């Protein structure tokens, strides 16, 4: 009996939805010249394929569980039951820019949260037909192979994934400082361009760790469970479990995760400062948002000690 034949019923429905979306994406990838592309914001694209893939996912999930809620990248919360304790968190095509260019690094990401805790996760890579999946407490798998994070313990040996900032208003200078600090400590940095797949690569041991800022819940929800079920840790830049909504994430094997958090912790405050600027709120002094921007542009403070949470807390 294969692992997939004994899966949780809700996970099986998510896998069915992910494969249906993957079939749409694969068909469209054969003829990118006729693809209709819209721009949500500079460098942030959505195609008719994103929307068709999202529609088939939602149709499949709500067909099986009509009382569940939906949080999806393209349609937000407009589908499903907005008061349900069960919420499906969906990215129908993570890596749209890669897809538009024919670069075969993109995926479908589907997670189920119950009362805010991720219980089921699927990430499907349609170009390689690789299916990553996990149920809370039952381990993580790629196809039928059990996943475990890498055993490397030294940063100098570590291969680390990241994502570059690309939206207008992102703090590129701050990211470059962060990038440089990590780069000189590790064996190499990679940026394929699909965060959900990057997180699965940590779970599979291809990377030893991953970090990125500016991510949304649908980018990290499924991958975060797959990592913790593979024995890894996930958190924000200070090692705490508020990563789904804080727009920053660090993930990795326990030893490398701890060392990476130590490097990145001084940069966590820049996210908060940028959000204060966006919201137009005061930071406690006369300058308000201007001061927040100044703080964001300043050099990071001396590294503080950080608390590393265990995987069952993440």
């Amino acid at each position: 009996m294969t692992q997939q034949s004994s899966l949780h019923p809700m996970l099986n429905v998510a896998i069915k939805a992910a494969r249906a979306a993957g079939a749409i994406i694969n068909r469209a990838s054969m003829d990118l010249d006729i693809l209709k592309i819209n721009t949500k914001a500079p460098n942030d694209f959505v195609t008719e394929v994103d929307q068709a893939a999202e529609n088939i996912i939602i149709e499949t999930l709500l067909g099986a569980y009509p009382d569940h809620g939906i949080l999806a990248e393209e349609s937000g919360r407009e589908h499903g039951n907005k008061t349900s304790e069960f919420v499906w968190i969906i990215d129908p095509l993570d890596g749209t820019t890669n897809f538009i260019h024919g670069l075969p690094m993109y995926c479908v990401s589907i997670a189920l949260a119950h009362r805010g805790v991720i219980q089921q996760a699927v990430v499907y890579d349609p170009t390689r037909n690789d299916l990553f999946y996990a149920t809370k407490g039952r381990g993580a798998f790629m196809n039928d192979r059990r996943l475990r994070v890498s055993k490397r313990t030294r940063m100098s040996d570590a291969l680390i994934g990241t994502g570059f900032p690309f939206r207008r208003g992102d703090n590129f200078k701050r990211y470059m400082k962060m990038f440089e600090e990590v780069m000189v400590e590790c064996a190499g940095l990679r940026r394929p361009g699909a965060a959900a797949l990057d997180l699965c690569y940590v779970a599979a041991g291809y990377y030893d760790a991953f970090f990125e800022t500016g991510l949304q819940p649908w980018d990290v929800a499924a991958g975060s469970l797959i990592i913790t079920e593979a024995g890894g840790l996930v958190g924000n830049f200070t090692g705490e479990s508020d990563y789904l909504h804080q727009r920053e994430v660090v993930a990795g094997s326990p030893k490398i995760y701890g060392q990476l958090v130590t490097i990145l912790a001084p940069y966590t405050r820049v996210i908060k400062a940028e959000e204060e600027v966006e919201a137009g709120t005061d930071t406690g002094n006369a300058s308000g948002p201007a001061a927040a921007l100044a703080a964001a542009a300043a050099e990071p403070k001396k590294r503080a000690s950080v608390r590393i949470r265990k995987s069952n807390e993440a």
Side-chain angles (χ1 to χ4, degrees):
M1 181 167 57
T2 66
Q3 165 63 24
Q4 290 186 50
S5 63
S6 60
L7 298 180
H8 191 285
M10 289 183 181
L11 184 61
N12 267 325
V13 171
I15 290 171
K16 180 182 175 184
R19 287 195 182 280
I24 288 173
I25 293 165
N26 274 342
R27 281 198 298 273
S29 71
M30 307 248 188
D31 206 349
L32 292 173
D33 289 342
I34 64 169
L35 194 65
K36 291 178 183 173
I37 303 167
N38 296 311
T39 304
K40 291 191 279 188
N43 301 328
D44 197 0
F45 304 102
V46 60
T47 71
E48 57 192 334
V49 179
D50 295 72
Q51 291 157 339
E54 183 167 294
N55 289 342
I56 193 71
I57 292 168
I58 292 171
E59 183 182 307
T60 304
L61 297 177
L62 292 185
Y65 301 105
D67 293 331
H68 285 192
I70 299 286
L71 173 60
E73 178 172 14
E74 307 309 336
S75 59
R77 292 184 182 272
E78 68 185 58
H79 299 283
N81 178 358
K82 295 175 180 59
T83 61
S84 176
E85 292 182 345
F86 291 93
V87 178
W88 293 95
I89 305 172
I90 302 161
D91 191 338
L93 177 51
D94 186 24
T96 300
T97 302
N98 286 350
F99 174 77
I100 289 167
H101 288 80
L103 185 64
M105 295 175 182
Y106 43 82
C107 65
V108 180
S109 177
I110 303 173
L112 175 65
H114 179 245
R115 295 183 178 178
V117 178
I118 307 298
Q119 301 287 342
Q120 311 291 340
V122 176
V123 174
Y124 179 53
D125 176 350
T127 67
R128 295 171 185 78
N129 196 26
D130 281 339
L131 186 75
F132 300 87
Y133 55 95
T135 293
K136 189 170 177 61
R138 295 181 64 177
F141 297 82
M142 182 182 78
N143 303 325
D144 283 327
R145 179 171 69 84
R146 179 73 184 261
L147 296 180
R148 298 301 298 177
V149 295
S150 81
K151 293 183 171 61
R152 293 184 187 87
T153 59
R154 297 189 304 180
M155 269 297 273
S156 58
D157 297 331
L159 183 63
I160 295 176
T162 188
F164 301 148
F166 61 90
R167 296 176 184 88
R168 181 177 291 166
D170 285 346
N171 194 319
F172 294 98
K173 288 182 180 177
R174 176 50 63 104
Y175 179 81
M176 292 308 295
K177 293 178 187 296
M178 208 185 306
F179 183 88
E180 181 181 5
E181 196 165 342
V182 175
M183 183 169 59
V184 298
E185 296 287 342
C186 72
L189 276 170
R190 300 290 183 269
R191 200 279 190 189
L197 209 49
D198 286 324
L199 292 169
C200 291
Y201 287 179
V202 173
Y206 304 158
Y207 295 153
D208 302 290
F210 172 80
F211 73 98
E212 188 168 355
T213 63
L215 294 176
Q216 298 286 355
W218 46 79
D219 295 313
V220 298
S224 64
L225 179 64
I226 291 169
I227 284 176
T228 55
E229 288 296 318
L233 297 174
V234 186
N236 61 21
F237 281 8
T238 52
E240 295 162 314
S241 59
D242 178 26
Y243 54 85
L244 265 188
H245 300 283
Q246 197 177 330
R247 296 172 64 91
E248 63 181 38
V249 67
V250 186
S253 59
K255 293 285 189 184
I256 303 299
Y257 172 88
Q259 293 168 72
L260 194 54
V261 163
T262 302
I263 294 171
L264 296 175
Y267 296 93
T268 191
R269 64 193 175 87
V270 88
I271 306 299
K272 295 169 187 170
E274 286 173 346
E275 285 176 352
E276 286 171 351
V277 172
E278 288 170 11
T281 55
D282 202 306
T283 58
N285 59 33
S287 300
L293 270 179
E299 289 291 326
K301 291 181 180 176
K302 191 175 180 181
R303 290 181 193 170
S305 59
V306 293
R307 180 185 173 199
I308 306 302
R309 291 177 178 263
K310 300 293 185 186
S311 58
N312 61 2
E313 292 180 85

